[in-house]
Amino acid sequence: MHYALVSDLLSKEAFDEWVEQKSASLGGLVDEVTAAMMVVDELGRRHIKIGDIPSARTSIVSFFGKILEIKPPREFIREGEPPGLVASIILGDPTGTVTLSLWDERAEVAAELEVGSVIEVIAKPRPGKKEANCLALRENQVTIVETKKPPKSETMSAPLTVKILAAFEMKEIVRRDGTSSFLQEFIIGDASGTARLVSWSPELFADVDAGSCVSISGVQRKEDEGIIEYVVSDSAEIRIVPDEITVLSIDASEVSEGSNPIVTGVVTSVSEIRSFTTRRGTESRVRNVAIRGSAASRSVNVAVWGDAADTLFLPGDSVQVINAAAKLNRYGELELSVGRGSVMQTVSLPGVHISVTGMVILRPEGLALDNGKEVWILITDQTPELGMTADVEGIMQNGRIKVTNIDIQTPDPAPLVSRLEPLL
């Protein structure tokens, strides 16, 4: 069984020989299984905790887990092939839970297992997910007393009445067989807090905008380690409700470890974007934004990940951090993390109309206008050339101008020509 963990590193014969040598070197004090585990460990393939599976850097992992739930085998159809079998087991340890899928002949093993027993597993993890495909397993005498609670899923009998706080762009998901479907994610909220909502039929939300209050029937509620998520069925019905829904919000000074609803505050500082390589080998970005609540002078850091790091935030902006989790960073301070299923956005405040002339320049925050006394970030779809003089009209608010009109002044060459004529 343990050879599967290192099959990409050496042959079966070489592994067996190494195991024999390891057992012999210890005077036969350990059995073959223990010797195999020691060899695997020396090759850098150690057992990991279940909580580390989503971020595992190897294509194969080994771990111990307590069986929390067994879903018996079910048959499925493969095009042009005999029917297959699949079963699943939910395993847990003190760090988390994982759904282990057993395919075909391995699925039959599920009937021989019991809830509460501990098994040793070798599996292929699904990157970023609490899921893995079983390669081998066996019962083990390791004791696991406490585990995280297994995920719960239920179809709601009553409609879900919430406010749409944010709507993300639709994504196309390509399956292994080449077919595709579309997915759209939302953040929703009510007086109890906020959550992520997923729809595989985005057309159902064609007439729903962020800020709308809706009643949705045909919703599945999922809960995993205290995190709640809703999935909308294809047959769901969505109705706009006229009444305003109040959503739970807290001040930045009240942030606590774990999930947080809407966190309000004012930006005190913004770092430059930092690029890095993820554990999957892809490039990503992160920007740190410090916000201060009204009830405290201490700032709370917000780590904004991925494409969201490109969002413009300026000191003095009033912001909302929606559905973000907080955890202790390496300095022992609470830090909000804005990534999948969360968002940070500015709160629109009244601005003043402005008409100003200046030079178009480039600042780290983006295109800007400098009139010699002040500098404003320009929010516009136009791309005036740098160094040109421009007449700008728009709404000015906290260091930015939302441009309604921009005219580039055509340089008058006459003064320059008159200065050059004596030299010609």
Side-chain angles (χ1 to χ4, degrees), residues 10 13-32 34-36 38-39 42:
L10 75 173
E13 292 75 15
F15 177 78
D16 290 340
E17 182 178 352
W18 197 337
V19 171
E20 289 181 9
Q21 291 176 355
K22 174 61 64 176
S23 180
S25 68
L26 296 173
L29 296 177
V30 297
D31 58 19
E32 183 179 344
T34 304
M38 295 174 70
V39 170
E42 290 178 6

Side-chain angles (χ1 to χ4, degrees), residues 385-403:
E385 293 184 22
L386 298 179
M388 301 297 287
T389 299
D391 298 321
V392 174
E393 290 187 33
I395 303 300
M396 187 269 292
Q397 191 267 325
N398 192 39
R400 54 168 69 80
I401 299 177
K402 293 184 179 179
V403 178

